[in-house]
Amino acid sequence: QVQLVESGGGLVEAGGSLRLSCAASGSIFSISVMGWYRQAPGKQRELVADITSGGRTNYADSVKGRFTISRDGAKKTVYLQMNSLKPEDTAVYYCNAEVLGYGRGDYNLYWGQGTQVTVSS
């Protein structure tokens, strides 16, 4: 079994910063893509950013220049540094990871439980 545990959410004023972390654990042989998604009340879950095992990154237009995704392969952890936060960034943030487990023949997608980020105006 694979678990993803997020941390680092909270309440911050507009213009402030937060750093989210997501650590994967369990029966993991390798991880390909790791990503962050978010879901605001009444809205669909949307991609914020993702990063491949080779370090290639992809960002939503709404966060380009403000958010930075990174990962530590040895720690099986993905980070999201969020700067210049805006009230519209308020959402539950979820991480995910495409994981190849030991003895498995293909990758499976796993999700964390989510962490709340609230940006006050």
Side-chain angles (χ1 to χ4, degrees):
Q1 189 60 285
V2 174
Q3 290 185 326
L4 300 179
V5 178
E6 298 117 333
S7 60
L11 173 64
V12 65
E13 292 184 351
S17 298
L18 283 174
R19 188 190 193 213
L20 305 183
S21 300
C22 172
S25 63
S27 180
I28 299 171
F29 181 75
S30 69
I31 302 176
S32 58
V33 181
M34 301 186 81
W36 288 96
Y37 284 70
R38 66 187 181 187
Q39 187 166 19
K43 295 188 176 182
Q44 290 188 334
R45 190 174 298 189
E46 62 176 3
L47 173 70
V48 176
D50 59 28
I51 182 168
T52 68
S53 57
R56 187 172 69 248
T57 58
N58 175 49
Y59 294 93
D61 288 343
S62 60
V63 306
K64 283 181 181 177
R66 300 188 298 123
F67 290 11
T68 302
I69 189 170
S70 61
R71 66 189 281 178
D72 183 327
K75 294 182 178 180
K76 300 182 180 64
T77 299
V78 62
Y79 306 96
L80 186 68
Q81 177 66 44
M82 305 185 292
N83 299 328
S84 302
L85 282 161
K86 305 175 181 179
E88 50 263 44
D89 294 318
T90 295
V92 178
Y93 284 70
Y94 299 90
C95 70
N96 70 4
E98 294 182 0
V99 176
L100 179 64
Y102 284 101
R104 296 295 191 99
D106 55 6
Y107 284 83
N108 288 289
L109 184 66
Y110 294 88
W111 290 88
Q113 80 287 355
T115 185
Q116 177 70 46
V117 171
T118 302
V119 184
S120 63
S121 57

